[in-house]
Amino acid sequence: MQLLQHFKELTIRPKNAKELKGLILQLAIQGKLTANWRKQNKDIEPASELLKRIQKEKEQLVKEKKIRKEKPLLKITKDEIPYLIPRSWAWCRVGESGYTQTGSTPPKKNPENYGDFIPFIGPADISNQSMKYPIEGLSELGISVGRLIPKDSLMMVCIGGSIGKCNINEIDVSCNQQINTLTPILIPPFYIKTVCQSPFFQKNVLDKSSGSATPIINKGKWEALPIPLPTLEEQKEIVKVVETLFKEVEQLEQLTAARIGLKEDFVTSALQQLTTNNANQEWTFLQDHFKSFFNETTNIKKLRETVLQLAVQGKLTADWRANNPDTEDASQLLKRIQKEKAQLIKDKKIKKEKALPKITEDEIPYELPEGWVWCRFGELAQYQKGYAFKSVNYKDQGLMITKIKNLTDNHTNNSVYIDTIRLEDLKQYILLKNDVVMTTVGSWFSAPKSAVGRSFIINKMFDNSLLNQNAVRIRFYEGLEPMYLYTCINSGTFKKYLIEEAQGTANQASITQKSIKNFVVGVPPLEEQKAIVEKVNALMGLCDALEQEVQQSQEHIEMLMQSVLREVFEGDKSDI
């Protein structure tokens, strides 16, 4: 009963709970959960005698024509025995613990076989946690064609991706041919369930099945699988202990879920206040308790999003502004950008564009700090859509074409190239370090990896490559900090704007250059832009460290689980 003491202080998530339950089942069928019980009950009839009584009972059922006579099963060899069991136990084959059947589906062309008398079970109705009993089933007439599976039988899926799933039926049923069944004799059904759901038995089912894409184990192989059989009284004790421990695991899992839920609610509320108020007190409190509150990946993700939003609202650099009161107002910066843009038009390096509309009060999402100004994103950069390269022109080397997948994975594996002689024709599509690339076509926002509006800042790896289609290059004017503006288009404000602006079908979304250019952004003085980037980098580094701690915690649980598993298979054998 001390099994769970190691785990009580840890976070038990669904995956851990499933592994822990598997461990409990494995300990149970090795007799390690009931060692003390055996010491106190030494004069119990051994399992070998129980097997003899089962055999006599089967012979009587055959004689009464209640079951068919079965072909004798081979004796278990030493090579088939995977581990030592207590002296009072015995190894037997599945078929020796009761009688087995495989389901059968009567022809659908005979509707009189079907009605609402006996539920007809398929693989989808069986899970390790529960059984479903369809309203429609086989009529009593149909049972003579199908097969009756008496209540308290073990039913296991014997084919496909659900192979090995099993449970006990609580009422008489029939089933299709994708299910093998065992009706135990003299043995508690839930002990059989404990064995058949254990990692040992599940592995055996897969090992003995044929077919890789669609594994299948026939009745002959299935009923020949070896299982450990304790004394009858110990089987009952094992069932009680397993049920008790499973409840403990489920309680731990529920406590974990409740704890995480409460923490997430608090974090969500606190972070929400930070982005809507000047809540310096909440920010200070959260900073002092980062490790306590941000030890779940979902909370760390929310923290990252909040950091970006606080950054573009100027809330990360309030102290910096207080210490740098003489910084040039951002309006002066915008004037210099306008001059640069006018010169580029005069030099015919860029085309004159239609003036962007003035910003209205309704478009302003929040109040800016003193020294900042609102402008449209189109005023800050030059834009270029990607080129639709044709695969017939691809070469093994030359000018690299940068695809969104390359940017997503941050590598140049499987890159494609075109001939360098085409550089002059395609130079407008060149990507340079610190350019931003944004996807203009993709799925909606439920699929972040392929969603529209994702952005990437070009690093050295993609410098002087070519921009592919379905994306736009954004090249900022001199005097702007690219990483600050990259932060702006990753903020919650831009994501919200994107959702409002995107067009498309149910599966595909798109955003136009016009929409991107019309986005309203708060611009700080250049020096504050740099201070914001520095602060964001530091906080994202903290998020990285917090995520690493979460990962290490999960790895610790896995190592602990593996350590206990090793003890299970290699530990004390004094009772064996």
Side-chain angles (χ1 to χ4, degrees):
M1 289 294 186
Q2 301 302 312
L3 172 68
L4 299 183
Q5 292 305 314
H6 293 295
F7 301 98
K8 285 192 174 178
E9 298 305 316
L10 299 174
T11 301
I12 304 299
R13 292 178 174 82
K15 178 178 179 287
N16 305 134
K18 184 180 177 183
E19 290 176 342
L20 201 46
K21 284 182 176 181
L23 175 60
I24 289 165
L25 295 174
Q26 193 61 40
L27 289 165
I29 65 167
Q30 289 184 236
K32 295 193 175 185
L33 297 183
T34 43
N36 289 335
W37 184 91
R38 280 194 305 280
K39 287 176 185 175
Q40 295 165 12
N41 296 271
K42 294 181 179 177
D43 299 325
I44 301 293
E45 175 192 69
S48 56
E49 293 301 313
L50 173 60
L51 278 172
K52 289 176 185 175
R53 290 199 288 120
I54 291 170
Q55 185 56 36
K56 280 185 182 177
E57 184 71 23
K58 280 177 82 171
E59 287 169 1
Q60 184 60 36
L61 290 171
V62 171
K63 189 176 179 181
E64 293 170 4
K65 297 186 178 178
K66 291 182 179 178
I67 64 172
R68 294 178 181 178
K69 188 173 182 179
E70 297 171 335
K71 200 174 176 181
L73 294 164
L74 296 173
K75 284 188 177 181
I76 293 174
T77 64
K78 281 186 180 179
D79 293 341
E80 292 179 276
I81 296 173
Y83 54 83
L84 296 175
I85 54 175
R87 295 182 186 91
S88 57
W89 292 27
W91 283 100
C92 70
R93 299 195 185 277
V94 166
E96 293 177 288
S97 64
Y99 62 92
T100 58
Q101 298 186 80
T102 295
S104 171
T105 304
K108 294 262 183 182
K109 63 184 179 182
N110 297 331
E112 69 271 14
N113 289 337
Y114 292 87
D116 57 2
F117 297 96
I118 305 291
F120 188 70
I121 303 291
D125 301 315
I126 298 175
S127 80
N128 289 336
Q129 288 75 42
S130 62
M131 292 274 292
K132 291 179 188 172
Y133 301 103
I135 296 170
E136 268 198 357
L138 293 182
S139 68
E140 289 169 342
L141 175 66
I143 283 298
S144 63
V145 183
R147 293 202 176 105
L148 179 69
I149 311 301
K151 73 172 187 174
D152 293 334
S153 297
L154 180 110
M155 305 181 71
M156 179 174 281
V157 180
C158 60
I159 186 171
S162 297
I163 191 169
K165 284 188 180 177
C166 62
N167 219 311
I168 304 295
N169 60 317
E170 297 162 317
I171 57 175
D172 290 350
V173 298
S174 189
C175 64
N176 71 16
Q177 58 272 30
Q178 295 180 321
I179 296 168
N180 288 330
T181 73
L182 166 68
T183 306
I185 296 173
L186 303 180
I187 295 173
F190 283 90
Y191 172 72
I192 290 296
K193 177 181 171 180
T194 297
V195 175
C196 291
Q197 287 189 352
S198 69
F200 151 73
F201 191 82
Q202 290 288 309
K203 183 177 182 299
N204 246 357
V205 167
L206 285 173
D207 288 347
K208 296 296 181 184
S209 64
S210 55
S212 53
T214 308
I216 180 169
I217 184 166
N218 62 34
K219 175 175 166 288
K221 287 182 180 178
W222 187 74
E223 67 185 4
L225 294 174
I227 59 172
L229 193 71
T231 64
L232 184 57
E233 292 306 313
E234 190 168 352
Q235 290 175 38
K236 295 172 184 176
E237 183 65 18
I238 285 170
V239 168
K240 280 197 288 185
V241 173
V242 167
E243 285 178 347
T244 300
L245 290 176
F246 270 31
K247 281 177 184 173
E248 281 198 46
V249 173
E250 285 157 10
Q251 285 170 0
L252 286 174
E253 190 180 3
Q254 287 165 9
L255 284 170
T256 295
R259 190 169 66 244
I260 291 171
L262 285 171
K263 195 177 289 184
E264 283 186 354
D265 289 346
F266 172 80
V267 166
T268 301
S269 174
L271 294 177
Q272 180 71 24
Q273 286 185 56
L274 285 175
T275 56
T276 52
N277 308 308
N278 287 318
N280 291 328
Q281 193 173 351
E282 282 89 344
W283 180 242
T284 303
F285 179 76
L286 284 175
Q287 281 182 305
D288 292 341
H289 298 85
F290 269 141
K291 287 192 178 181
S292 302
F293 288 113
F294 299 102
N295 55 7
E296 303 292 333
T297 51
T298 50
N299 283 346
I300 298 169
K301 182 173 182 278
K302 287 176 187 173
L303 177 60
R304 287 186 189 276
E305 292 167 353
T306 302
V307 164
L308 296 176
Q309 191 58 38
L310 293 172
V312 301
Q313 291 181 229
K315 292 186 176 183
L316 295 183
T317 43
D319 291 344
W320 184 93
R321 282 193 302 278
N323 295 326
N324 296 272
D326 300 325
T327 305
E328 179 188 66
D329 192 278
S331 59
Q332 298 303 312
L333 172 60
L334 286 185
K335 285 177 184 176
R336 287 198 299 275
I337 289 171
Q338 287 302 321
K339 280 184 182 178
E340 181 190 346
K341 194 173 181 181
Q343 188 61 48
L344 289 169
I345 293 168
K346 187 178 178 181
D347 296 341
K348 297 185 178 179
K349 291 183 178 178
I350 62 172
K351 292 179 181 178
K352 187 174 182 178
E353 295 177 326
K354 188 178 177 182
L356 293 166
K358 286 188 177 181
I359 297 169
T360 64
E361 274 191 38
D362 292 343
E363 292 179 281
I364 295 174
Y366 46 80
E367 189 178 338
L368 287 181
E370 191 175 340
W372 291 40
V373 291
W374 288 109
C375 74
R376 296 199 185 272
F377 213 59
E379 297 175 60
L380 305 175
Q382 302 169 43
Y383 292 77
Q384 175 62 56
K385 69 176 183 179
Y387 184 77
F389 294 96
K390 293 183 171 62
S391 57
V392 291
N393 297 322
Y394 291 168
K395 305 289 181 185
D396 293 332
Q397 56 185 5
L399 292 169
M400 185 173 76
I401 299 166
T402 291
K403 297 183 176 181
I404 295 302
K405 180 161 177 53
N406 295 126
L407 295 172
T408 303
D409 300 335
N410 196 34
H411 65 61
T412 57
N413 299 348
N414 306 314
S415 290
V416 294
Y417 303 83
I418 60 160
D419 202 313
T420 52
I421 61 172
R422 297 190 62 194
L423 177 59
E424 189 60 31
D425 297 333
L426 298 168
K427 62 183 179 182
Q428 70 191 88
Y429 304 103
I430 287 285
L431 294 170
L432 299 177
K433 189 178 176 186
N434 289 330
D435 284 348
V436 166
V437 170
M438 184 183 292
T439 60
T440 53
V441 177
S443 63
W444 289 96
F445 312 102
S446 57
K449 274 208 165 186
S450 59
V452 67
R454 290 171 65 223
S455 58
F456 308 87
I457 196 152
I458 295 301
N459 58 31
K460 190 176 178 181
M461 190 184 301
F462 303 103
D463 192 24
N464 279 295
S465 63
L466 294 167
L467 177 65
N468 201 21
Q469 63 183 335
N470 296 331
V472 62
R473 183 196 68 206
I474 304 170
R475 181 171 293 163
F476 300 109
Y477 291 116
E478 292 292 327
L480 292 166
E481 171 53 58
M483 283 304 298
Y484 168 72
L485 295 165
Y486 182 64
T487 299
C488 291
I489 54 176
N490 281 289
S491 69
T493 303
F494 182 74
K495 301 295 181 191
K496 183 173 179 288
Y497 173 78
L498 197 63
I499 290 168
E500 293 167 353
E501 289 290 309
Q503 313 157 23
T505 63
N507 300 317
Q508 191 86 339
S510 65
I511 188 165
T512 63
Q513 276 193 53
K514 182 181 176 182
S515 287
I516 298 168
K517 289 176 181 178
N518 278 336
F519 174 57
V520 174
V521 61
V523 180
L526 178 58
E527 292 307 311
E528 188 169 354
Q529 291 177 36
K530 293 175 181 176
I532 288 170
V533 169
E534 190 175 330
K535 191 75 173 177
V536 168
N537 287 342
L539 288 169
M540 290 303 176
L542 172 63
C543 290
D544 292 340
L546 291 170
E547 278 184 343
Q548 190 173 4
E549 285 193 23
V550 171
Q551 186 179 347
Q552 286 171 347
S553 173
Q554 283 300 298
E555 287 172 356
H556 173 63
I557 294 173
E558 292 296 325
M559 285 173 63
L560 185 56
M561 202 79 72
Q562 293 304 315
S563 172
V564 177
L565 278 169
R566 279 195 298 275
E567 285 181 27
V568 170
F569 289 104
E570 301 167 10
D572 178 35
K573 297 183 176 67
S574 58
D575 186 50
I576 294 172

